[in-house]
Amino acid sequence: VLLKIINHGFHCDYGIPTCILREIAIMKHLDHLNVIKLNEVCQKENKLILVFEYFGQDMRKYMEKLGQPLKLNQIKKVMWLIL
């Protein structure tokens, strides 16, 4: 799994901002081949912990593996997959 920890530091009286809750709700319902799945959301103290499915590589690792900046046609392919 992939854990993303968000230190929100919000006041307990106000809770988590609506925009963050909305983004989490959208991510929970996304079901697309090119988007990793958000499996669970946990809250501990002033942190949100997002639990995603495991994915062995990210864009940074891919670019480091190439050893050079992406070419225009590669950027277009990646953007096509994302959109």
Side-chain angles (χ1 to χ4, degrees), residues 16-71:
I16 301 168
T18 308
C19 61
I20 291 177
L21 293 175
R22 189 179 314 119
E23 287 182 27
I24 289 172
I26 290 169
M27 286 190 289
K28 289 279 287 183
H29 289 95
L30 276 176
D31 186 21
H32 191 276
L33 176 67
N34 298 323
V35 178
I36 61 172
K37 181 92 173 125
L38 175 61
N39 292 330
E40 191 174 341
V41 179
C42 306
Q43 184 176 3
K44 183 175 182 181
E45 298 169 2
N46 64 340
K47 296 178 184 176
L48 284 175
I49 302 168
L50 307 179
V51 182
F52 292 91
E53 69 179 329
Y54 176 74
F55 187 74
Q57 184 168 322
D58 61 18
M59 185 57 89
R60 176 185 277 170
K61 288 180 185 176
Y62 176 72
M63 291 176 67
E64 287 173 355
K65 184 178 171 183
L66 287 177
Q68 61 187 8
L70 292 174
K71 296 178 181 158

